[in-house]
Amino acid sequence: DHHVNYGSGSGLQDRVAFVQNDPSQYDASIRLADLQVSDTGTYQCRVRKNTVAVHEVIVTVQEKPATPQCWTEGELIEGSSILLRCYSR
């Protein structure tokens, strides 16, 4: 039907668009921009010409890891041991 159903309160309206300007030309692919963890879910493509074809895709968006904080413990003396510690949220 040449439209995207965003669902209620999804926040997708400004981030989803058809890849091709005219999806009736056999490509109803969509592009989801600026992925967010909250975009995780099941997406359904429903194409209707003479019959209806439905395909579901499960999308899992994982959070980008935080930059680790690293430091050394022990004296930096040649031949001695030190401990390198790293932590990330």
Side-chain angles (χ1 to χ4, degrees):
D1 294 337
H2 298 230
H3 74 278
V4 175
N5 180 352
Y6 304 101
S8 61
S10 66
L12 294 173
Q13 291 81 349
D14 298 329
R15 300 184 295 119
V16 175
F18 285 108
V19 173
Q20 300 295 322
N21 290 337
D22 185 1
S24 68
Q25 298 301 311
Y26 306 105
D27 186 356
S29 301
I30 61 171
R31 175 175 288 119
L32 178 55
D34 188 26
L35 283 175
Q36 300 170 12
V37 174
S38 60
D39 294 331
T40 294
T42 302
Y43 291 78
Q44 184 181 81
C45 179
R46 182 181 301 234
V47 178
R48 181 175 55 208
K49 278 287 198 184
N50 298 327
T51 61
V52 175
V54 177
H55 184 75
E56 289 188 348
V57 177
I58 298 172
V59 174
T60 303
V61 181
Q62 296 182 340
E63 191 169 342
K64 180 179 175 181
T67 303
Q69 301 169 349
C70 297
W71 65 94
T72 59
E73 291 181 1
E75 286 193 57
L76 295 173
I77 300 172
E78 186 176 344
S80 67
S81 297
I82 64 166
L83 186 59
L84 175 62
R85 297 219 182 243
C86 291
Y87 172 78
S88 181
R89 292 179 186 253

